[in-house]
Amino acid sequence: MVSGAREADTWWLPRAVVALRMRIFEKVNGDRALTLPNAMWGREVFERVYAHPAAGGRSAGAGLSDLFWYWLSPGPEVHQEHLEAGPRYDEVAATTRRILAGSSAGLAAAATRAVAGVLDALPADRISLVRLRDLVMPAWAEFCYGLVFREPCPPHVRRLIVAHARDVIDALKCTSLRHPRRRARLTAYLRERVTAGDVPHRLPASLSVQEQVFYLQGTFFNTAVVQLSEATAHLLLALARHPEVQRRVAQHPDDDRYLSHVLDETMRLYPLFGIAHRITTDDIPLDETTTLPAGSVVCFSYPDYHAGGYERLEVFDPDRWESLSARDVPHIPFGVAANRPCPAWRLSPLVLRAAVREVLRRFRLDSTVSHTRSIPHRAPCLLIPRRLEPGARLAPLRTFLRVRDGVEDVTRGVRQLVLGTVMVLHARRQRLATRYFAQFPPDRCPVAHTAGGHG
């Protein structure tokens, strides 16, 4: 029997502080923001507006941009997700596709080697208590370094990448303040390599050397490392909480179809993206009587979109995908094709499956912690070596995990509220995106002014 994917909260305080924190973030949008889907406009409007050519503005004109640029700095102005449509974006996107290219077998093998390297450091004769995101992040740092430099990743560079990526994601989740000096150390390393001509790829000629450094840092050593780590943590935690699914995957490791269903179901319940904001470059009709004016900020909510159109919505059931097609249900784990889908939409499922197989080849997973979309606890889990019979040792460890998770929920919720407020206020003072676009004359501002440039 497949169990429910979400549990009722035990503590009232986390719900309260999350609600307060969300109100603070909503204020950043200003009065022109519209979140889709909502009670008035549902799935059909979400899909139509998201795919509309005029829903293509990325950063200019949105209060949220100042906040996300603050979190993603340095170099958010050349981050592929935040570049406005046009020749510069086209060149950057083409470069990313070239760097991500490779044979399926080669990419899967590289991911397997990277994950195996971090698992080799774990003891084979006792249970390990880990946080899954922290466990796999060094592996994805090594994997992404290999994509960019086509060589093995030195240990000290892997530490630089992990420190940078961890700092970005912890700030985004408001579990920690950002630390610019940590990020600057990776910037300095990449600048040295780019200046020396050590990158075996043709980097975008429209970018200066400093911008090329920021492009590599933001696209590959921030977003790619973070998203692969988060996705792996979600997958492994879902398997840890659903032992019958885990057994089936472990017993049939070559069954790509079922493992793909597990990935689809995980991303349905726990989409990596929360809100994707876009700025409209022209009017967009919402219905027969309502038009969204140009310059509006639209917040596309992936969790709300994924929350409709399914039977037994809260149940984790990979088998549902035997009779479902992603084209027929609300399921966009990598975005929509008409509005810049994730450039790693092909690579990610391939290497995630390879990572899961390598973990399950060595360990059984067990966890009693909560599983939410944001996993701010970084997915605590017990790794039990395949040849080890845990016996009576397992029960107290499971109890410890559950109790510690509840206690951490309270203290972490308060910390997120306080740190999130501090960073929102700091970002509003710095106004990184606003100041960047203000330096351009109106006729030279790098913003898509026409309805045709959705990228």
Side-chain angles (χ1 to χ4, degrees), residues 132 230-240 259 262-264 266-267 316 352-353 356 365 371:
L132 292 168
E230 291 271 296
T232 309
H234 276 299
L235 267 170
L236 296 178
L237 185 58
L239 292 171
L259 188 48
V262 174
L263 175 58
D264 286 339
T266 303
M267 294 297 100
F316 184 85
L352 288 170
R353 291 195 299 265
V356 168
L365 312 174
H371 193 172

Side-chain angles (χ1 to χ4, degrees), residues 100-156:
L100 294 178
S103 70
S104 297
L107 292 169
T112 300
R113 286 194 301 272
V115 172
V118 300
L119 298 180
D120 284 344
L122 296 176
D125 58 351
R126 65 179 185 272
I127 299 173
S128 295
L129 173 55
V130 302
R131 296 191 188 254
L132 292 168
R133 197 197 79 191
D134 297 347
L135 174 70
V136 300
M137 189 173 280
W140 294 122
E142 186 165 320
F143 175 80
C144 291
Y145 179 94
L147 290 177
V148 172
F149 290 104
R150 303 298 187 197
E151 64 184 26
C153 182
H156 76 282

Side-chain angles (χ1 to χ4, degrees), residues 89-348:
Y89 165 77
D90 293 340
E91 187 183 17
V92 165
T95 302
T96 300
R97 289 193 295 270
R98 286 197 305 271
I99 294 176
L100 294 178
S103 70
S104 297
L107 292 169
T112 300
R113 286 194 301 272
V115 172
V118 300
L119 298 180
D120 284 344
L122 296 176
D125 58 351
R126 65 179 185 272
I127 299 173
S128 295
L129 173 55
V130 302
R131 296 191 188 254
L132 292 168
R133 197 197 79 191
D134 297 347
L135 174 70
V136 300
M137 189 173 280
W140 294 122
E142 186 165 320
F143 175 80
C144 291
Y145 179 94
L147 290 177
V148 172
F149 290 104
R150 303 298 187 197
E151 64 184 26
C153 182
H156 76 282
V157 179
R158 188 173 75 172
R159 289 192 292 270
L160 285 178
I161 297 169
V162 169
H164 164 72
R166 188 173 292 167
D167 191 64
V168 170
I169 191 59
D170 286 345
L172 279 164
K173 294 180 188 297
C174 302
T175 57
S176 173
L177 296 174
R178 62 175 195 155
H179 299 85
R181 289 185 181 179
R182 264 181 222 165
R183 306 181 186 197
R185 285 192 280 270
L186 179 60
T187 306
Y189 171 80
L190 293 173
R191 186 185 301 115
E192 182 180 312
R193 297 298 304 273
V194 171
T195 302
D198 292 339
V199 180
H201 302 280
R202 187 174 71 257
L203 296 177
S206 61
L207 304 184
S208 67
V209 170
Q210 181 75 329
E211 289 173 330
Q212 290 173 350
V213 169
F214 287 150
Y215 156 68
L216 292 175
Q217 184 166 353
T219 301
F220 296 97
F221 302 123
N222 169 0
T223 298
V225 173
V226 164
Q227 297 288 31
L228 285 169
S229 301
E230 291 271 296
T232 309
H234 276 299
L235 267 170
L236 296 178
L237 185 58
L239 292 171
R241 286 169 43 87
H242 299 89
E244 69 284 1
V245 176
Q246 181 183 163
R247 279 192 295 270
R248 185 169 166 184
V249 174
Q251 290 169 0
H252 305 282
D254 296 326
D255 186 351
D256 258 2
R257 182 181 178 87
Y258 184 68
L259 188 48
S260 294
H261 290 342
V262 174
L263 175 58
D264 286 339
E265 184 70 349
T266 303
M267 294 297 100
R268 177 186 75 84
L269 278 166
Y270 313 108
L272 293 179
F273 303 104
I275 294 287
H277 76 281
R278 302 288 183 264
I279 302 92
T280 60
T281 57
D282 203 347
D283 294 350
I284 300 177
L286 295 176
D287 56 32
E288 294 179 354
T289 60
T290 310
T291 297
L292 189 64
S296 299
V297 179
V298 187
C299 294
F300 296 99
S301 172
Y302 279 60
D304 289 337
Y305 177 71
H306 279 196
Y310 297 92
E311 296 180 359
R312 300 177 305 138
L313 178 67
E314 301 292 324
V315 175
F316 184 85
D317 182 11
D319 284 325
R320 75 170 74 239
W321 294 97
E322 286 291 340
S323 58
L324 289 180
S325 167
R327 293 188 298 271
D328 302 323
V329 291
H331 189 254
I332 50 169
F334 301 106
V336 297
N339 199 332
R340 288 199 211 171
C342 172
W345 64 269
R346 169 184 168 269
L347 173 145
S348 293

Side-chain angles (χ1 to χ4, degrees), residues 329-399:
V329 291
H331 189 254
I332 50 169
F334 301 106
V336 297
N339 199 332
R340 288 199 211 171
C342 172
W345 64 269
R346 169 184 168 269
L347 173 145
S348 293
L350 181 73
V351 299
L352 288 170
R353 291 195 299 265
V356 168
R357 288 192 182 98
E358 184 61 20
V359 172
L360 293 185
R361 186 178 70 82
R362 300 172 181 235
F363 297 100
R364 284 178 288 140
L365 312 174
D366 196 301
S367 185
T368 53
V369 303
S370 59
H371 193 172
T372 62
R373 189 200 67 79
S374 63
I375 51 170
H377 53 30
R378 313 193 307 281
C381 186
L382 301 171
L383 299 188
I384 308 166
R386 283 281 167 194
R387 297 181 181 179
L388 180 69
E389 287 298 329
R393 290 172 291 182
L394 187 58
L397 287 173
R398 298 181 86 245
T399 300

